Amino acid sequence: MLRGASPKLVAAATAATVVLTGAVIAASSTAAQAAPAVTRAAAPKLSTTVAPGGNFNLSVWELQEPVGSPGSPRTIPSAQLQGAKGYQDSYFYTDTKDGAMTFWAPEKGVTTPNSNYARSELREMNTDGSSADWKLAGSHQLQATLRVDSVTDHVCVGQIHLGTGGSSTKPLVELYYYKNGNIVLGEENSPSGGQTTHQIANVPVGTQWSYTIAVSGGNTINLTVNGKTTKYAIPSSFNAYHMYFKAGSYNQSSSSSTTKGARVAFYALTVKHS
């Protein structure tokens, strides 16, 4: 007992010491039992200071833009798209905030002969510069991570298009994003036309999401959106046709406005065939 201290004060001090000591022991025990911190590797960041060709492999793409002469939009070949100093302009550029490869397609713009809508869109090519034109047999895959920043009504962000093998200029499938966030697959009924749509998911405007459009076995479309896969049979009427992929911003509405339209930003884009 401390000299001059009352028994009550000593008891209180002793109790406080016990409480504090217990708190320290408990804290030490909790820290010792805590799981070690897990360090996750950061996803590769896109450069904000290079053209899209500096971040993405554009050796298998050419670009169609919503400018040019009527029925003949400007086309930028793969050789001009590639590399850190590759082609970019107001319709196709690197977002200086996050490095995304960005496509802008206004409501008013030059269209292809078989469409009423403007586009800033990549068309699949072969590495030798010829147009991609693959058979349905085998495995074919288009993968993308993207964000739709603005859209007037809806926009096609990826598609499988018919190539040689017949006179049709239709797509096989188109993946649409709507202004309310709905993601919808448009499946062509036959080379003559007519499209059946399937509601797939909903992602708010400005939110990143991912898709994979794949062909397997020569007769099945495998669509994966944010990890969920759905399958669709390919009608036999398409068997004679070869195919190719497209990706970007293919606006699905038109008007006299050059300020309204669809702006789509890609964070990853790859093609695989086997």
Side-chain angles (χ1 to χ4, degrees), residues 208-246:
Q208 276 193 44
W209 55 285
S210 63
Y211 72 73
T212 300
I213 303 173
V215 174
S216 63
N219 57 10
T220 304
I221 297 293
N222 302 293
L223 173 66
T224 303
V225 172
N226 286 346
K228 182 179 179 181
T229 300
T230 50
K231 298 177 181 290
Y232 306 91
I234 299 174
S236 60
S237 54
F238 290 101
N239 288 352
Y241 283 87
H242 290 200
M243 307 285 168
Y244 58 90
F245 289 120
K246 303 191 81 174

Side-chain angles (χ1 to χ4, degrees), residues 180-191:
N180 64 357
N182 282 346
I183 298 169
V184 175
L185 180 71
E187 180 187 19
E188 210 71 11
N189 298 330
S190 77

Side-chain angles (χ1 to χ4, degrees), residues 17 19 53 58 69 113 129 131 168 177 181 197 238 240 255 267-268:
T17 302
V19 170
L58 299 182
S69 56
S131 297
S168 177
Y177 181 92
T197 57
F238 290 101
S255 70
Y267 295 89

